[in-house]
Amino acid sequence: MRFTVSTRGFCDIIDITSRIEEAVRKSGIKEGICIVSCPGSTVGITTIENEPQLLKDFKELMEKLVPSDKKYHHDDVWGEANGFSHLRSSLIKPFLTVPVENGKLVLGQWQNLVLLDFDNRPREREIFVKIFGK
Ligand code: ZN
């Protein structure tokens, strides 16, 4: 299955946990794995506690690791000035695998699945969810 998410870009963080849980429930699969993937070279998927101060920390971490106000070689190529967006995506990666047990995602109590949009403009993102098992 797949679904679409509208983002504001600029390290927008969107909780997609309930959408993925719903996909697992609908699949009827009790034991297996769930792969979540977003096609795109300026997007990321990770897990984090969905707590506003921590989300702020995460955004600040991205600024420290790959500053958005620095000039990157890629910025000269297309004139998009989103070199930092691509580098963040490569670091975080745009896919994730989570085990499924007893028909549910195996996640910690405060562990949420989030989509990160690193691009420098609002985007429509399509998220693919593949569930394998029995
Ligand atoms: Zn680019």
Side-chain angles (χ1 to χ4, degrees):
M1 74 74 94
R2 65 177 86 168
F3 60 93
T4 306
V5 169
S6 298
T7 84
R8 292 169 296 177
F10 298 101
C11 206
D12 200 5
I13 303 177
I14 293 154
D15 196 325
I16 54 172
T17 314
S18 61
R19 305 294 299 269
I20 311 300
E21 282 171 343
E22 184 190 341
V24 171
R25 205 165 38 243
K26 283 185 176 163
S27 76
I29 287 171
K30 300 297 175 200
E31 304 288 328
I33 57 167
C34 174
I35 299 172
V36 184
S37 180
C38 183
S41 59
T42 53
V43 70
I45 295 177
T46 191
T47 72
I48 194 167
E49 179 180 342
N50 190 354
E51 183 281 296
Q53 297 306 313
L54 183 62
L55 300 185
K56 201 188 271 183
D57 287 328
F58 185 87
K59 290 179 184 190
E60 288 177 10
L61 174 66
M62 287 295 108
E63 274 306 321
K64 273 181 229 159
L65 289 175
V66 189
S68 59
D69 58 358
K70 191 181 173 294
K71 185 133 173 59
Y72 297 91
H73 299 296
H74 174 72
D75 298 343
D76 298 328
V77 181
W78 304 112
E80 293 174 322
N82 67 350
F84 72 98
S85 315
H86 293 289
L87 293 172
R88 291 176 181 186
S89 174
S90 296
L91 268 182
I92 302 296
K93 296 181 181 44
F95 46 76
L96 197 73
T97 305
V98 184
V100 175
E101 207 169 86
N102 301 318
K104 287 184 173 157
L105 291 170
V106 181
L107 292 172
Q109 189 181 357
W110 307 111
Q111 189 180 16
N112 289 282
L113 294 162
V114 290
L115 176 77
L116 307 158
D117 201 323
F118 298 121
D119 216 343
N120 59 356
R121 60 190 170 95
R123 299 287 305 258
E124 289 286 312
R125 298 296 192 177
E126 199 166 30
I127 297 166
F128 288 70
V129 187
K130 299 286 179 190
I131 302 148
F132 303 92
K134 58 185 166 68

